[in-house]
Amino acid sequence: MVLGIRREDKNRWERRVALTPSHVKRLIRETGARVLVQPSNTRIFNNSSFERAGAKIEEDLTKADAILGIKEVPIDKLIANKTYMLFSHTHKGQAYNMDSLREFLGRNIRLIDYELMTDQKGKRLVLFGTHAGYAGMIDGLHGLGQRLLALGYNSPLIHMGQAHVYPNLECVATKLRHVADIISDQGLPDAFAPMVFTFTGAGNVTKGARAIFDRLPHDNITVDELPKIVADRFNPRYKNRLLALQVSAQDYVERIDGGSYDRAEYREFPDRYRSVFAQKIAPYTTMLVNGIYWESRYPRLMTTKDLADIQRRRELKSRMLAIADISCDIGGSLEFMSHASTIDSPFFYVDAVNGVEHKDIEKPGVQINSIDNLPTELPFEASKHFGDSLYPYAKALALGNLSDPVLSRAVICQNGKLEAPHAHLEKNLAAAHGIRVADTRRKRVLLVGSGMVSQPLVDYLARSRDTDITVASNNLDEARSLACQFPNTQAMQLDISDTRGLDASVRGSDVVVSLIPAPLHPQLADAAIRNGRHMVTASYISPEMESLNCRARDASVTILNEIGLDPGIDHCSAMKIIDEAKSRGATVRSFISWCGGLTAPECSANELGYKFSWSPRGVLTAGLNAAKFKINKLERTIESGSLFAQKFGRVPLFPGFAFEGLANRDSLQYADIYGLKLNDMDTMFRGTLRYRGFAEILDAMYELGMLSLDNAVRMTPFEFLASRINLEPGQFDLSQIAHALATRLNTTPTSPLVSRLITAFSEFGMLDPTHRAIHAPTHLDFMSHILQSSLKFTSGERDMVCLFHEFGIEEPSGEYNVHTSSMVAYGDAESGETAMART
């Protein structure tokens, strides 16, 4: 038997685990089972602790026979024909999870739900309830302290933090002792005396809440005492003590037609009863701690109207200040409890009088804390407690003993059918059909590539707290250096030639972003299609990528290309003007587009006038492309290798910039893409901007064979230069180098070009024979390595991008107008974020 432990991904706070490393170690020893654990950087127990216990860290759980988790599994991550053990939140017919239940059935999954693991008397055996009570009460005290302060009153409760700030319960106990001392010494705000905490429920949730509360100075009271106590509110005894009111159904429900409460009757015929909580208890309550189990056949504890009635009464303004709804039944026993809050944003406020729900702590309304994963605020102790309870049944599962009565009672469905006790859920499935529930699960992004443009993307994605990011790279150190700067971000080694590893990584994501060199995009896109994952890349659509179109369509996979600066923003801005022209019946006769990623002018003091804010390899290979364009009704072609030589020496877009330009690939194809008729156009041109002098240096490097895509090379930069200009061994003098360059380039040693080249090679570090050897698969990659290290941006420097469109548009009247569209953006020198990466 192979057991899998999945990585929790409902939100970034979910750090619990079903079995701790000590449980896993014991399970392996006692059953011989193999245990696979999905890697996680947020789990309370790290990956290495599970490895030491004998488990294997494995992203892909398809080899597991049974998979254990805590919270719901996103539908797209469910693996068919497996056994899943988790909290599915489906057995009560919850509408928001009926799609999940439908998938469990459709994928032939055996679903074992922890909530249904009971003894013969129906008592639950595996649960987090006590720890939910602990955390809910801690958060409730914290929230009430904040609320009182917002109302203008200091109180001892202001010193309570949220549960997750305490490393363990021992630290919580220490804090409670301090708060208790302050209550005893300084007392509570007179305006809110007596402070009555009303507890509902008698299960583990409420027991946990009371375990926290009972550490504070308090007296226990009964419902019958409430009117007298509040009437005597200025009694000094209430200054230094809280009051605890524990209530049960007999305290807050009454028979509709009169008569005494009967527990058995209430359970069987709850429709004969109504709640009087709002009239009998709520008007005296400061904080309600709600821990009851509620089903829709029972009367609600309070309705929205009940709350509004209380909030209208001026004399009750110090009552019903807060609710810690630990049971978190949305729209359940408390009708106005509309949604689960989060650890990040734990409180919201309901102003029932005005029908307003808000998050402003200073505005009217009852404060509600309704976090649905409270135990994860105490992940260490919660996981240990839960694992201790679960272990006997996990062991039975590992031994294949599915006939264990606890396990068999907890099965909701198997073999594609609901088990008999849950057959009634068929009507819930039918009722929920077609209902679309907002997806609140965590998103997973696989970013392949850790180079220059990756950091701003990770920074942007990490701002979404519901997104987990994996930076995958063949350079693990570089990926780790990037990932460690951001929350919810991890690094991993990835060799895209390893099909199995690539598939596992892609399958573990929702979307793949490719920032690797363009020639590798098709291989990654092929994996995305195989595994049904969408992919985004900023690069041009190559013929190899184009060939994947039909397969992507058949797999319902989107491969989004050309969504960067150029291509990307240039397309969008061009189409805006083209569409506007068409809408008024005008004809585009000419389209010229220039775009360039450049160095800001003040940082361009080198012979290339350039520094690299993106892959040098991309810059160099772009110069090897052929180009097609149309100017003044003549179509022209520049062959591969001639692009630098056939530069546009002067591009006068702005007087302050000394631009030159290079034709950019096949401009003619964009006439059709943009919905233009090439035959009706005089000019169709797209070009790349550089500062003047760039192309001359690159053309010389091309002529010297430095940009060749043939032959691997392993030598020092100086040895490489020497090999390209036929320099004899021992020749290091600049005059000798100048002569060798002149001979290779058919010019004179004193020519300006040779002088510029010697300066450039010096800036590249190629004239220093002491530099270490470099190993590269091609000459071009060798130069890419050199340029990346020698022409990188330093602290305080910034890049620049420039985009400029010029349209010649013939209006319906015959009038010819020129329209321009331009963008110039600079990088942020202070933060280091480049304009290239941002756009």
Side-chain angles (χ1 to χ4, degrees):
M1 175 69 75
V2 180
L3 292 187
I5 297 177
R6 72 180 308 273
R7 174 178 55 246
E8 298 300 319
D9 47 15
K10 186 166 185 179
N11 60 60
R12 70 188 179 96
W13 288 99
E14 190 50 77
R15 297 182 290 156
R16 292 174 291 175
V17 65
L19 295 174
T20 69
S22 62
H23 295 127
V24 168
K25 183 176 182 179
R26 180 182 169 192
L27 189 70
I28 293 171
R29 184 179 68 247
E30 295 181 358
T31 69
R34 291 177 57 212
V35 179
L36 307 179
V37 179
Q38 276 192 322
S40 172
N41 290 332
T42 56
R43 190 185 287 127
I44 189 63
F45 299 99
N46 61 27
N47 298 329
S48 60
S49 65
F50 280 101
E51 288 182 309
R52 290 194 298 271
K56 181 181 179 183
I57 303 300
E58 178 70 60
E59 178 67 36
D60 185 4
L61 295 183
T62 55
K63 294 179 181 178
D65 301 298
I67 298 172
L68 281 65
I70 301 294
K71 302 298 283 184
E72 301 100 317
V73 180
I75 287 174
D76 66 315
K77 294 184 183 179
L78 289 172
I79 305 173
N81 306 310
K82 304 293 181 186
T83 294
Y84 276 83
M85 185 183 286
L86 43 75
F87 289 107
S88 70
H89 298 293
T90 60
H91 76 95
K92 291 195 288 184
Q94 293 96 320
Y96 57 88
N97 274 336
M98 286 301 97
D99 282 346
S100 293
L101 181 57
R102 191 175 290 110
E103 287 297 321
F104 283 121
L105 292 165
R107 301 193 191 195
N108 191 35
I109 291 171
R110 177 186 291 113
L111 173 59
I112 300 175
D113 197 304
Y114 298 131
E115 284 194 77
L116 301 175
M117 297 177 76
T118 62
D119 62 16
Q120 292 180 334
K121 295 182 179 180
K123 181 181 178 182
R124 286 183 60 187
L125 300 172
V126 180
L127 66 168
F128 283 106
T130 305
H131 288 79
Y134 293 156
M137 192 71 244
I138 295 166
D139 288 356
L141 293 170
H142 163 72
L144 182 56
Q146 298 287 321
R147 179 63 163 159
L148 291 172
L149 187 65
L151 295 174
Y153 295 87
N154 182 45
S155 77
L157 300 181
I158 194 64
H159 301 290
M160 289 296 300
Q162 260 188 272
H164 67 83
V165 306
Y166 303 106
N168 51 48
L169 287 171
E170 184 179 345
C171 294
V172 175
T174 300
K175 173 58 70 175
L176 288 168
R177 284 196 298 272
H178 293 162
V179 173
D181 290 342
I182 298 172
I183 292 175
S184 298
D185 181 48
Q186 298 181 18
L188 300 159
D190 293 331
F192 299 92
M195 295 190 73
V196 178
F197 287 72
T198 299
F199 296 84
T200 64
N204 289 293
V205 165
T206 301
K207 289 176 182 176
R210 285 302 303 260
I212 296 298
F213 177 86
D214 288 353
R215 291 177 176 269
L216 300 174
H218 69 282
D219 292 326
N220 293 310
I221 61 173
T222 66
V223 173
D224 293 338
E225 295 177 273
L226 284 172
K228 181 180 178 181
I229 289 172
V230 172
D232 191 29
R233 56 178 301 201
F234 298 110
N235 191 315
R237 67 181 289 230
Y238 303 136
K239 176 72 174 177
N240 305 95
R241 301 187 72 76
L242 304 172
L243 300 181
L245 174 65
Q246 181 71 53
V247 300
S248 61
Q250 67 182 28
D251 295 310
Y252 57 77
V253 299
E254 66 179 16
R255 291 183 97 256
I256 295 174
D257 60 359
S260 60
Y261 169 82
D262 182 276
R263 185 171 184 269
E265 180 189 47
Y266 177 61
R267 285 176 171 257
E268 188 173 359
F269 303 105
D271 57 312
R272 297 177 182 176
Y273 289 78
R274 65 187 170 202
S275 172
V276 290
F277 185 90
Q279 295 75 36
K280 191 176 178 182
I281 300 171
Y284 306 101
T285 297
T286 306
M287 169 179 274
L288 168 62
V289 182
N290 190 29
I292 61 173
Y293 174 82
W294 184 83
E295 293 180 2
S296 58
R297 62 195 190 97
Y298 289 98
R300 284 191 166 96
L301 196 66
M302 286 184 68
T303 66
T304 305
K305 180 180 180 302
D306 290 334
L307 180 62
D309 290 344
I310 290 173
Q311 291 178 339
R312 286 191 182 97
R313 296 169 60 182
R314 291 176 58 85
E315 73 274 18
L316 298 182
K317 65 179 181 180
S318 63
R319 300 294 145 191
M320 287 298 290
L321 292 180
I323 298 175
D325 192 5
I326 304 174
S327 58
C328 194
D329 268 329
I330 297 171
S333 62
L334 301 171
E335 184 182 27
F336 46 85
M337 208 291 278
S338 63
H339 66 278
S341 58
T342 66
I343 297 173
D344 290 307
S345 182
F347 308 107
F348 64 96
Y349 300 82
V350 175
D351 176 359
V353 174
N354 297 302
V356 174
E357 186 178 291
H358 62 85
K359 291 191 175 183
D360 189 334
I361 194 171
E362 296 184 351
K363 287 184 178 180
V366 59
Q367 178 189 78
I368 298 180
N369 168 24
S370 57
I371 297 171
D372 66 352
N373 60 338
L374 283 165
T376 200
E377 292 199 71
L378 302 167
F380 180 83
E381 284 127 330
S383 297
K384 185 178 183 304
H385 170 81
F386 186 83
D388 288 343
S389 303
L390 177 62
Y391 183 81
Y393 315 111
K395 181 178 178 180
L397 183 62
L399 293 172
N401 183 17
L402 289 166
S403 61
D404 180 280
V406 173
L407 290 180
S408 61
R409 278 193 292 269
V411 176
I412 293 178
C413 64
Q414 60 183 331
N415 300 319
K417 297 179 180 179
L418 292 167
E419 290 294 278
H422 307 287
H424 65 280
L425 293 175
E426 287 287 1
K427 63 181 180 181
N428 298 88
L429 288 166
H433 187 69
I435 295 175
R436 185 175 182 86
V437 180
D439 186 358
T440 59
R441 67 183 178 85
R442 295 187 66 75
K443 282 67 173 180
R444 302 161 300 161
V445 176
L446 176 67
L447 170 58
V448 184
S450 55
M452 294 182 177
V453 298
S454 299
Q455 181 168 331
L457 175 59
V458 177
D459 180 34
Y460 176 79
L461 292 173
R463 297 173 196 169
S464 298
R465 295 177 176 177
D466 64 346
T467 301
D468 293 318
I469 307 151
T470 298
V471 180
S473 175
N474 61 354
N475 186 336
L476 184 58
D477 288 341
E478 185 178 68
R480 283 173 172 166
S481 177
L482 173 59
C484 71
Q485 303 176 51
F486 301 97
N488 307 321
T489 305
Q490 63 180 352
M492 68 173 290
Q493 182 99 33
L494 181 64
D495 177 0
I496 69 166
S497 64
D498 175 11
T499 302
R500 182 178 175 185
L502 178 61
D503 281 348
S505 299
V506 169
R507 192 163 50 245
S509 68
D510 296 312
V511 66
V512 179
V513 179
S514 180
L515 294 180
I516 53 178
L520 300 178
H521 290 329
Q523 196 170 345
L524 189 56
D526 186 64
I529 295 168
R530 277 198 309 271
N531 294 281
R533 297 296 186 266
H534 305 302
M535 176 174 149
V536 180
T537 175
S539 298
Y540 283 100
I541 300 176
S542 66
E544 293 80 10
M545 287 291 282
E546 180 70 29
S547 70
L548 298 173
N549 186 50
C550 291
R551 283 186 53 218
R553 286 178 179 271
D554 291 343
S556 298
V557 169
T558 298
I559 308 292
L560 184 61
N561 302 271
E562 303 194 9
I563 194 65
L565 168 66
D566 173 9
I569 294 175
D570 60 340
H571 293 335
C572 298
S573 57
M575 287 307 303
K576 179 179 184 294
I577 292 179
I578 291 170
D579 287 342
E580 288 173 350
K582 287 183 177 180
S583 69
R584 61 179 185 268
T587 302
V588 176
R589 297 297 185 187
S590 172
F591 174 67
I592 298 174
S593 176
W594 292 101
C595 189
L598 302 148
T599 306
E602 72 272 17
C603 305
S604 62
N606 60 63
E607 282 301 315
L608 273 186
Y610 199 85
K611 290 192 175 183
F612 291 90
S613 58
W614 61 300
S615 167
R617 195 182 197 282
V619 175
L620 299 182
T621 54
L624 302 183
N625 294 319
K628 295 180 182 179
F629 53 91
K630 184 178 184 180
I631 293 181
N632 295 328
K633 299 184 179 181
L634 294 177
E635 292 188 13
R636 289 183 53 190
T637 298
I638 298 177
E639 300 298 330
S640 174
S642 300
L643 203 62
F644 296 124
Q646 297 187 43
K647 66 181 182 293
F648 293 79
R650 185 172 178 271
V651 182
L653 302 182
F654 302 103
F657 292 119
F659 288 144
E660 65 182 23
L662 305 170
N664 188 1
R665 301 178 183 246
D666 181 2
S667 298
L668 303 182
Q669 64 175 323
Y670 285 96
D672 184 56
I673 292 171
Y674 289 169
L676 303 174
K677 294 181 180 180
L678 185 61
N679 291 336
D680 294 340
M681 298 182 70
D682 299 330
T683 298
M684 183 69 197
F685 177 87
R686 299 175 76 250
T688 300
L689 294 171
R690 294 289 182 260
Y691 291 129
R692 289 179 204 162
F694 176 92
E696 182 182 48
I697 297 293
L698 266 294
D699 185 52
M701 289 169 59
Y702 176 82
E703 292 298 327
L704 294 172
M706 291 180 171
L707 307 185
S708 168
L709 292 172
D710 300 324
N711 303 323
V713 57
R714 187 184 187 93
M715 57 183 68
T716 68
F718 182 79
E719 289 170 340
F720 180 71
L721 173 62
S723 72
R724 297 294 87 210
I725 62 176
N726 301 323
L727 199 64
E728 295 296 329
Q731 292 184 324
F732 301 108
D733 188 80
L734 289 181
S735 63
Q736 295 171 318
I737 295 172
H739 187 271
L741 278 169
T743 301
R744 285 281 282 113
L745 296 173
N746 194 29
T747 186
T748 63
T750 58
S751 70
L753 173 60
V754 170
S755 176
R756 290 194 65 213
L757 284 171
I758 289 177
T759 301
F761 291 144
S762 176
E763 292 170 343
F764 299 165
M766 298 180 73
L767 301 185
D768 186 345
T770 65
H771 283 181
R772 292 187 303 173
I774 299 170
H775 179 241
T778 68
H779 291 179
L780 185 142
D781 288 293
F782 189 95
M783 286 306 304
S784 296
H785 182 93
I786 289 175
L787 294 176
Q788 183 162 339
S789 60
S790 61
L791 295 185
K792 59 186 177 183
F793 285 88
T794 59
S795 177
E797 293 187 327
R798 60 180 183 163
D799 71 330
M800 179 188 83
V801 297
C802 179
L803 173 62
F804 189 96
H805 295 318
E806 181 184 282
F807 300 83
I809 298 178
E810 183 179 339
E811 302 295 337
S813 64
E815 183 181 4
Y816 190 90
N817 293 316
V818 174
H819 296 259
T820 62
S821 171
S822 64
M823 178 186 79
V824 177
Y826 291 90
D828 187 330
E830 184 175 340
S831 70
E833 180 180 277
T834 64
M836 176 62 72
R838 190 189 324 130
T839 56

